[in-house]
Amino acid sequence: MASNFFSIVVPALNEEKYLSLCLDSLKNQDYKGKYEIIVVDNGSTDGTSRVARELGAKVIICEKKGVVYARQTGAEASSGDIIIQADADTFYPVN
């Protein structure tokens, strides 16, 4: 069976306080295949981009305000066969 490469797109606006929990939970999934995590900073004025970079996520800046635009920007920057959307303020279970 062929393995798919996943792109996880996380739109974020001033999510510095929550983003590390989200990214840690995504990185600790029991999935053993290849994936990338893309955080799309949608105009944050806090340390959202810094936190994302420190945790190994690819950071993309989206100048046009709105989660729809941030998600589209992330999808366009992704290289995965499958694109998954995630919320920056959500902690995901390991499975």
Side-chain angles (χ1 to χ4, degrees):
M1 179 160 91
S3 175
N4 291 314
F5 180 71
F6 292 90
S7 294
I8 305 169
V9 175
V10 183
L13 175 61
N14 294 327
E15 297 288 356
E16 177 181 23
K17 292 180 183 178
Y18 306 103
L19 188 58
S20 62
L21 291 173
C22 172
L23 296 180
D24 284 341
S25 73
L26 291 172
K27 289 171 28 179
N28 291 317
Q29 296 293 300
D30 60 8
Y31 176 70
K32 300 298 180 205
K34 293 184 178 183
Y35 65 93
E36 66 179 347
I37 299 174
I38 301 170
V39 173
V40 183
D41 189 330
N42 199 211
S44 297
T45 57
D46 64 0
T48 295
S49 288
R50 176 188 49 78
V51 169
R53 283 187 190 95
E54 287 174 356
L55 292 172
K58 179 178 180 181
V59 176
I60 304 294
I61 304 298
C62 178
E63 300 290 334
K64 194 168 184 179
K65 299 290 186 201
V67 70
V68 172
Y69 301 112
R71 287 183 186 181
Q72 184 63 35
T73 298
E76 291 170 359
S78 70
S79 48
D81 302 311
I82 296 172
I83 300 170
I84 300 167
Q85 301 288 328
D87 291 326
D89 62 353
T90 302
F91 174 83
Y92 296 91
V94 71
N95 60 353

